[in-house]
Amino acid sequence: MKLLEIVTLTALYGAATAARTGDDRDLKTDVWAKTLNRRQTTWSPPSELVTPLQEVWDHVSTTYNNGDLLGFTNYGYDILMASNGTLNFCVRWDSDASVTEADRTAIESSLKANVRKWTDQLTGFMGWPFGEVPVSVVGWAVKDKAQLQGSVSGVDVHTTADSAGTPECDPACGRFFHQDNDYSACAGGAARHYDMSLWLTAGMEGGAGGDWGQRVGSEYFLGALDSPHIWLHEFGHTLALDDFYDWTPTGITNFIMNAGSSTTITDFDIWMMRDFWRHIASRFSVRKLKARAIGKFD
């Protein structure tokens, strides 16, 4: 299936319609067996990446959103622009196990560090308006509040469930459900909204990702906090990057978005992300957003 084929995600979010990001083969165990600091300000990929990058762009331009790539408006870049360069996560704890306060702190710290492995590589690039992307966990969804050991001060606890009975963060507070940024029905208002979910499922192998968030195994994520390579791949889908199960671009075989071929984000992954940004940046008022990011606008 293609990255942005429109589907109904009844199993994920009730009857909500979403853009499908990623391939179901991400869910298979057998495809999964350094942070880069190479910031750029202009479109100047290494010569050996020029042709494969063009091949990727040509491919997604014809396959995303039924050939209307720019008609879809909830890519990760859209989410970050709407939130003025911050990311609020809500964790869906899809498990019967309890989770300690220390583990919850570690999960938030992991998200902070691993989001930056992607977004730091946009800093200063072709009008990207944010110097950094602050990350917070603002909520947890659980079957029973008693599963959350220790203090839950400062965190919203959700006990709502989706149509399959799986713990779900309150849709009234979710960006996926309110792309008009109207959080008036959210108990905590806009300040307590979440931009995406981290869905941690007991026993899950593989992953899934899209504009709604990322889903991986709870045991896996807690065991790979420093560098959760499956989650890094799934967050790449949130940033609109495709899967490569059925083809690979000329001369490129090992990169995080080619599931199972790399456990780290590579130069090619970063240049694909930059390529996507440069093609959609014109739809944002980047100058105004950049001023807000440095405190010149209310």
Side-chain angles (χ1 to χ4, degrees):
M1 68 198 68
K2 304 306 180 185
L3 179 64
L4 287 169
E5 177 186 359
I6 301 300
V7 296
T8 301
L9 295 180
T10 52
L12 298 184
Y13 286 108
T17 299
R20 182 179 301 230
T21 51
D23 189 299
D24 285 346
R25 283 168 285 188
D26 281 5
L27 298 168
K28 295 183 178 179
T29 309
D30 58 2
V31 301
W32 299 106
K34 61 194 175 187
T35 303
L36 298 175
N37 187 20
R38 301 170 184 170
R39 294 180 179 175
Q40 298 287 328
T41 59
T42 60
W43 179 249
S44 55
S47 59
E48 68 273 16
L49 300 185
V50 172
T51 294
L53 286 167
Q54 187 61 51
E55 291 171 350
V56 170
W57 183 255
D58 290 344
H59 179 76
V60 299
S61 295
T62 57
T63 58
Y64 280 21
N65 201 32
N66 297 316
D68 183 20
L69 180 149
L70 295 179
F72 184 76
T73 57
N74 203 44
Y75 298 114
Y77 316 94
D78 297 288
I79 295 168
L80 282 162
M81 291 298 153
S83 65
N84 204 21
T86 64
L87 277 183
N88 287 347
F89 280 84
C90 186
V91 179
R92 299 181 67 177
W93 187 248
D94 185 8
S95 171
D96 292 327
S98 295
V99 56
T100 67
E101 185 176 354
D103 280 345
R104 297 196 302 275
T105 298
I107 287 169
E108 182 173 33
S109 295
S110 178
L111 288 172
K112 290 175 184 286
N114 285 293
V115 165
R116 290 191 63 175
K117 291 178 182 178
W118 281 109
T119 59
D120 275 7
Q121 307 308 322
L122 286 170
T123 300
F125 179 72
M126 296 190 71
W128 180 252
F130 309 117
E132 62 180 81
V133 174
V135 172
S136 300
V137 172
V138 297
W140 278 74
V142 289
K143 296 177 182 178
D144 188 321
K145 290 182 180 180
Q147 291 177 272
L148 299 177
Q149 298 178 357
S151 173
V152 292
S153 176
V155 174
D156 297 326
V157 179
H158 305 270
T159 54
T160 48
D162 64 16
S163 60
T166 304
E168 178 182 48
C169 304
D170 187 354
C173 301
R175 158 77 185 185
F176 176 80
F177 304 97
H178 298 280
Q179 294 173 31
D180 59 357
N181 296 311
D182 180 3
Y183 299 108
S184 56
C186 177
R192 302 302 298 175
H193 87 282
Y194 60 94
D195 299 299
M196 58 189 66
S197 296
L198 172 63
W199 187 351
L200 299 178
T201 299
M204 183 177 183
E205 298 174 331
D211 60 335
W212 48 270
Q214 308 82 41
R215 185 183 188 186
V216 294
S218 53
E219 301 92 343
Y220 161 76
F221 196 84
L222 282 167
L225 291 167
D226 289 341
S227 188
H229 68 289
I230 300 176
W231 180 88
L232 288 168
H233 172 100
E234 304 309 338
F235 192 78
H237 290 322
T238 299
L239 292 172
L241 304 185
D242 208 352
D243 273 319
F244 292 85
Y245 289 106
D246 301 316
W247 75 287
T248 52
T250 300
I252 308 295
T253 56
N254 299 322
F255 53 107
I256 198 77
M257 295 313 298
N258 185 17
S261 70
S262 176
T263 59
T264 58
I265 299 168
T266 68
D267 276 349
F268 188 67
D269 296 298
I270 288 168
W271 280 107
M272 283 196 296
M273 172 183 65
R274 290 171 177 159
D275 199 15
F276 210 97
W277 163 251
R278 78 183 180 109
H279 278 94
I280 69 168
S282 61
R283 74 185 185 193
F284 304 110
S285 179
V286 172
R287 182 178 179 183
K288 184 175 181 180
L289 281 163
K290 189 168 186 178
R292 283 180 175 165
I294 60 176
K296 291 186 177 179
F297 280 75
D298 294 330

Short mmCIF file of all heavy atoms in Angstrom, two decimals, residues 146-170:
data_model
loop_
_atom_site.label_atom_id
_atom_site.label_comp_id
_atom_site.label_asym_id
_atom_site.label_seq_id
_atom_site.Cartn_x
_atom_site.Cartn_y
_atom_site.Cartn_z
N ALA A 146 -4.78 2.81 38.30
CA ALA A 146 -3.88 2.18 39.26
C ALA A 146 -2.63 1.62 38.59
O ALA A 146 -1.64 1.31 39.26
CB ALA A 146 -4.62 1.06 40.00
N GLN A 147 -2.64 1.49 37.26
CA GLN A 147 -1.45 1.00 36.54
C GLN A 147 -0.32 2.02 36.58
O GLN A 147 0.84 1.67 36.37
CB GLN A 147 -1.80 0.69 35.08
CG GLN A 147 -2.70 -0.51 34.88
CD GLN A 147 -3.04 -0.69 33.42
OE1 GLN A 147 -4.02 -0.14 32.93
NE2 GLN A 147 -2.22 -1.46 32.72
N LEU A 148 -0.65 3.28 36.81
CA LEU A 148 0.36 4.34 36.82
C LEU A 148 0.90 4.50 38.24
O LEU A 148 0.29 5.15 39.09
CB LEU A 148 -0.23 5.65 36.32
CG LEU A 148 -0.77 5.63 34.89
CD1 LEU A 148 -1.40 6.97 34.53
CD2 LEU A 148 0.34 5.28 33.90
N GLN A 149 2.04 3.90 38.50
CA GLN A 149 2.64 3.95 39.83
C GLN A 149 3.31 5.29 40.07
O GLN A 149 3.79 5.94 39.13
CB GLN A 149 3.65 2.81 39.99
CG GLN A 149 3.03 1.43 39.87
CD GLN A 149 4.06 0.32 39.99
OE1 GLN A 149 5.26 0.56 40.11
NE2 GLN A 149 3.59 -0.93 39.96
N GLY A 150 3.35 5.72 41.32
CA GLY A 150 4.01 6.97 41.66
C GLY A 150 3.15 8.17 41.32
O GLY A 150 1.95 8.07 41.04
N SER A 151 3.77 9.35 41.31
CA SER A 151 3.05 10.60 41.07
C SER A 151 2.67 10.75 39.61
O SER A 151 3.45 10.41 38.71
CB SER A 151 3.93 11.78 41.48
OG SER A 151 3.31 13.01 41.12
N VAL A 152 1.47 11.26 39.37
CA VAL A 152 1.04 11.60 38.01
C VAL A 152 0.81 13.11 37.90
O VAL A 152 0.10 13.58 37.02
CB VAL A 152 -0.23 10.82 37.61
CG1 VAL A 152 0.06 9.35 37.48
CG2 VAL A 152 -1.36 11.07 38.60
N SER A 153 1.44 13.86 38.76
CA SER A 153 1.31 15.31 38.75
C SER A 153 1.76 15.87 37.40
O SER A 153 2.81 15.50 36.87
CB SER A 153 2.16 15.91 39.87
OG SER A 153 2.13 17.33 39.83
N GLY A 154 0.96 16.76 36.85
CA GLY A 154 1.30 17.41 35.59
C GLY A 154 0.97 16.61 34.35
O GLY A 154 1.25 17.06 33.23
N VAL A 155 0.39 15.43 34.53
CA VAL A 155 0.05 14.56 33.39
C VAL A 155 -1.44 14.26 33.42
O VAL A 155 -2.00 13.93 34.46
CB VAL A 155 0.85 13.24 33.44
CG1 VAL A 155 0.39 12.29 32.34
CG2 VAL A 155 2.33 13.51 33.31
N ASP A 156 -2.09 14.40 32.27
CA ASP A 156 -3.51 14.05 32.17
C ASP A 156 -3.64 12.54 32.03
O ASP A 156 -2.95 11.92 31.21
CB ASP A 156 -4.14 14.73 30.96
CG ASP A 156 -4.11 16.25 31.07
OD1 ASP A 156 -4.24 16.75 32.20
OD2 ASP A 156 -3.94 16.92 30.04
N VAL A 157 -4.50 11.93 32.82
CA VAL A 157 -4.72 10.49 32.77
C VAL A 157 -6.06 10.23 32.08
O VAL A 157 -7.11 10.72 32.51
CB VAL A 157 -4.72 9.87 34.18
CG1 VAL A 157 -4.98 8.36 34.09
CG2 VAL A 157 -3.40 10.15 34.88
N HIS A 158 -6.00 9.46 30.98
CA HIS A 158 -7.19 9.15 30.19
C HIS A 158 -7.56 7.69 30.40
O HIS A 158 -6.69 6.81 30.33
CB HIS A 158 -6.93 9.39 28.71
CG HIS A 158 -6.44 10.76 28.38
ND1 HIS A 158 -7.29 11.81 28.08
CD2 HIS A 158 -5.17 11.27 28.30
CE1 HIS A 158 -6.57 12.89 27.83
NE2 HIS A 158 -5.29 12.59 27.96
N THR A 159 -8.82 7.42 30.63
CA THR A 159 -9.29 6.04 30.73
C THR A 159 -10.33 5.74 29.66
O THR A 159 -11.09 4.78 29.77
CB THR A 159 -9.87 5.76 32.13
OG1 THR A 159 -10.89 6.72 32.43
CG2 THR A 159 -8.78 5.82 33.19
N THR A 160 -10.36 6.57 28.63
CA THR A 160 -11.23 6.32 27.49
C THR A 160 -10.66 5.17 26.66
O THR A 160 -9.48 4.82 26.77
CB THR A 160 -11.37 7.58 26.62
OG1 THR A 160 -10.05 8.12 26.38
CG2 THR A 160 -12.20 8.63 27.32
N ALA A 161 -11.50 4.57 25.82
CA ALA A 161 -11.07 3.46 24.98
C ALA A 161 -11.64 3.64 23.58
O ALA A 161 -12.69 4.27 23.39
CB ALA A 161 -11.52 2.13 25.57
N ASP A 162 -10.94 3.07 22.59
CA ASP A 162 -11.45 3.12 21.22
C ASP A 162 -12.50 2.02 21.02
O ASP A 162 -12.87 1.31 21.97
CB ASP A 162 -10.31 3.03 20.21
CG ASP A 162 -9.56 1.70 20.26
OD1 ASP A 162 -10.07 0.73 20.86
OD2 ASP A 162 -8.45 1.63 19.70
N SER A 163 -12.97 1.86 19.80
CA SER A 163 -14.05 0.91 19.53
C SER A 163 -13.64 -0.54 19.78
O SER A 163 -14.49 -1.41 19.95
CB SER A 163 -14.54 1.07 18.09
OG SER A 163 -13.48 0.83 17.18
N ALA A 164 -12.32 -0.80 19.81
CA ALA A 164 -11.83 -2.15 20.08
C ALA A 164 -11.54 -2.37 21.55
O ALA A 164 -11.08 -3.45 21.95
CB ALA A 164 -10.56 -2.41 19.26
N GLY A 165 -11.79 -1.35 22.38
CA GLY A 165 -11.55 -1.46 23.81
C GLY A 165 -10.13 -1.16 24.23
O GLY A 165 -9.75 -1.39 25.38
N THR A 166 -9.32 -0.61 23.33
CA THR A 166 -7.93 -0.29 23.61
C THR A 166 -7.83 1.10 24.22
O THR A 166 -8.51 2.03 23.76
CB THR A 166 -7.11 -0.33 22.31
OG1 THR A 166 -7.26 -1.61 21.70
CG2 THR A 166 -5.63 -0.07 22.58
N PRO A 167 -7.02 1.28 25.26
CA PRO A 167 -6.87 2.62 25.85
C PRO A 167 -6.54 3.66 24.79
O PRO A 167 -5.70 3.44 23.91
CB PRO A 167 -5.70 2.44 26.83
CG PRO A 167 -5.75 0.99 27.21
CD PRO A 167 -6.18 0.28 25.96
N GLU A 168 -7.22 4.80 24.87
CA GLU A 168 -7.08 5.85 23.87
C GLU A 168 -7.05 7.21 24.57
O GLU A 168 -7.86 7.48 25.45
CB GLU A 168 -8.25 5.79 22.90
CG GLU A 168 -8.24 6.87 21.84
CD GLU A 168 -9.47 6.80 20.93
OE1 GLU A 168 -10.59 6.70 21.45
OE2 GLU A 168 -9.29 6.84 19.71
N CYS A 169 -6.13 8.05 24.17
CA CYS A 169 -6.13 9.42 24.67
C CYS A 169 -7.38 10.13 24.15
O CYS A 169 -7.82 9.88 23.03
CB CYS A 169 -4.86 10.14 24.21
SG CYS A 169 -3.34 9.27 24.70
N ASP A 170 -7.95 10.99 24.96
CA ASP A 170 -9.22 11.63 24.64
C ASP A 170 -9.16 12.28 23.26
O ASP A 170 -8.38 13.20 23.03
CB ASP A 170 -9.53 12.68 25.70
CG ASP A 170 -10.92 13.29 25.53
OD1 ASP A 170 -11.60 12.98 24.54
OD2 ASP A 170 -11.31 14.09 26.40
#
